[in-house]
């Protein structure tokens, strides 16, 4: 039954999810062939800095919007399927509450991982043109020395960390929705508030813990970008996974004891 629930969740989100990400990849392809491939990187800095800056700003906005839409899909699916009128039908199924919860966690994480993969695919599509790769070859040794490893390996490591850490964003969404259900009124607004408050508290707590353990000083004293990045990413990922366990336990407890759905 778990597999059927996961399949049902993915199918319910598939059309919008695929449409958004196909549009994103088409935009990246168009930007590659109509813009990036036409840039002359041998021109003066004053000539190319403006268009590249515009591309970076627009790309950041597009990626942020795509990630936000994916999170909203995950949010609406969890809320509608378990806490709206549709939830009355969901809870009549011969399925335990734990199975419902795990179906949402797995489907939500799959969407998050696919979203991250599509974003990285779009970035690769943009930067793998011949003129970009030829221009990079001239500075590749300096970049490798500054980063501490080849740029391709560095990008792959960051991608892996993002995919692994994606589960924390899913559970934070579910935790915030469940906290919002504890209030007698304005539950959606309370869930949104819980999301931002919890995110802020987690960030402050992680910074305090890392400072207390001397991790921030170690990162600041790192010789390469890779050392500095990984000295921050590794503990952040570990803390995120620990928080996932705590948030899962909280979600399960709230749904079972406080909302009386499980």
């Amino acid at each position: 039954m778990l597999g059927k629930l996961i399949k049902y969740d993915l199918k319910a989100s598939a059309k919008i999810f695929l449409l958004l990400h196909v549009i994103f990849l088409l935009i990246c392809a168009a930007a590659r062939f109509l813009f990036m491939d036409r840039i002359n990187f041998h021109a003066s800095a004053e000539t190319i800095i403006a268009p590249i800056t515009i591309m970076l700003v627009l790309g950041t906005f597009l990626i942020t919007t795509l990630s936000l839409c994916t999170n909203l899909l995950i949010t609406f699916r969890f809320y509608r399927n378990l806490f709206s009128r549709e939830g009355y039908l969901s809870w009549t199924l011969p399925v335990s509450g734990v199975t419902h919860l795990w179906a949402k966690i797995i489907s939500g994480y799959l969407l998050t991982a696919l979203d991250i993969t599509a974003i990285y695919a779009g970035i690769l599509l943009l930067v793998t043109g011949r003129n970009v790769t030829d221009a990079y070859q001239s500075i590749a040794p300096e970049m490798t020395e500054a980063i501490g490893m080849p740029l391709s390996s560095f990008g792959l490591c960051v991608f892996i960390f993002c995919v692994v850490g994606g589960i924390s964003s899913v559970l934070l969404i579910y935790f915030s929705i469940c906290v919002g259900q504890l209030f007698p009124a304005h539950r959606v607004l309370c869930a949104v508030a819980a999301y931002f408050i919890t995110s802020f508290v987690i960030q402050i707590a992680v910074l305090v813990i890392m400072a207390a353990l001397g991790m921030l000083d170690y990162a600041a004293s790192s010789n390469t970008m890779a050392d500095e990045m990984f000295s921050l990413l590794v503990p952040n990922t570990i803390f995120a996974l620990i928080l996932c366990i705590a948030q899962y336990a909280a979600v399960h407890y709230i749904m079972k004891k406080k909302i009386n759905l499980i």
Side-chain angles (χ1 to χ4, degrees):
M1 184 58 75
L2 176 62
K4 292 182 179 180
L5 290 174
I6 295 171
K7 182 179 179 180
Y8 178 73
D9 283 338
L10 293 176
K11 185 177 180 180
S13 305
K15 289 183 180 180
I16 298 178
F17 182 86
L18 290 175
L19 177 62
L20 291 174
H21 288 77
V22 167
I23 291 175
F24 169 75
L25 292 175
L26 288 175
I27 292 174
C28 290
R32 155 79 178 273
F33 296 114
L34 299 178
F35 181 78
M36 292 297 293
D37 285 351
R38 298 174 183 271
I39 295 179
N40 181 13
F41 288 94
H42 299 290
S44 61
E46 293 79 6
T47 304
I48 64 176
I49 191 169
I52 291 179
T53 301
I54 294 173
M55 175 63 69
L56 287 174
V57 172
L58 293 177
T60 301
F61 173 77
L62 186 61
I63 290 172
T64 302
T65 303
L66 185 64
S67 297
L68 177 61
C69 290
T70 300
N71 286 333
L72 288 176
L73 278 175
I74 296 170
T75 301
F76 291 153
R77 187 65 202 151
F78 182 75
Y79 177 79
R80 290 182 58 186
N81 192 234
L82 296 181
F83 299 110
S84 67
R85 293 181 179 179
E86 185 179 332
Y88 290 105
L89 177 61
S90 298
W91 293 110
T92 59
L93 297 175
V95 181
S96 67
V98 175
T99 303
H100 274 299
L101 183 55
W102 272 107
K104 294 294 181 291
I105 292 173
I106 294 172
S107 62
Y109 176 69
L110 287 175
L111 291 178
T112 299
L114 288 173
D115 174 64
I116 295 171
T117 302
I119 288 173
Y120 271 76
I123 294 173
L124 286 175
L125 186 60
L126 280 172
V127 301
T128 51
R130 181 176 296 276
N131 63 331
V132 178
T133 55
D134 289 345
Y136 178 74
Q137 290 303 316
S138 61
I139 61 171
E142 292 80 2
M143 288 294 295
T144 300
E145 182 179 357
I147 296 174
M149 62 173 62
L151 182 60
S152 57
S153 300
F154 180 75
L156 178 61
C157 292
V158 173
F159 169 74
I160 293 173
F161 275 107
C162 290
V163 171
V164 172
I167 186 65
S168 62
S169 65
V170 174
L171 280 167
L172 177 58
I173 291 171
Y174 294 169
F175 171 77
S176 302
I177 293 174
C178 288
V179 170
Q181 299 306 302
L182 297 176
F183 294 86
H186 306 293
R187 292 179 176 179
V188 174
L189 181 61
C190 291
V192 173
Y195 178 86
F196 286 106
I197 292 172
T198 304
S199 299
F200 177 76
V201 171
I202 289 174
Q203 291 175 5
I204 296 300
V206 170
L207 286 175
V208 170
I209 293 173
M210 293 180 66
L213 296 177
M215 295 178 180
L216 295 180
D217 294 333
Y218 176 78
S221 61
S222 300
N223 296 323
T224 64
M225 186 185 301
D227 290 338
E228 180 179 357
M229 181 71 72
F230 294 142
S231 63
L232 297 175
L233 279 177
V234 171
N236 267 282
T237 302
I238 294 174
F239 293 148
L241 294 177
I242 294 173
L243 283 171
C244 284
I245 298 174
Q247 288 171 343
Y248 170 81
V251 169
H252 184 272
Y253 175 80
I254 291 173
M255 294 178 68
K256 182 177 181 180
K257 299 295 185 180
K258 298 299 182 180
I259 305 178
N260 195 29
L261 289 178
I262 295 182

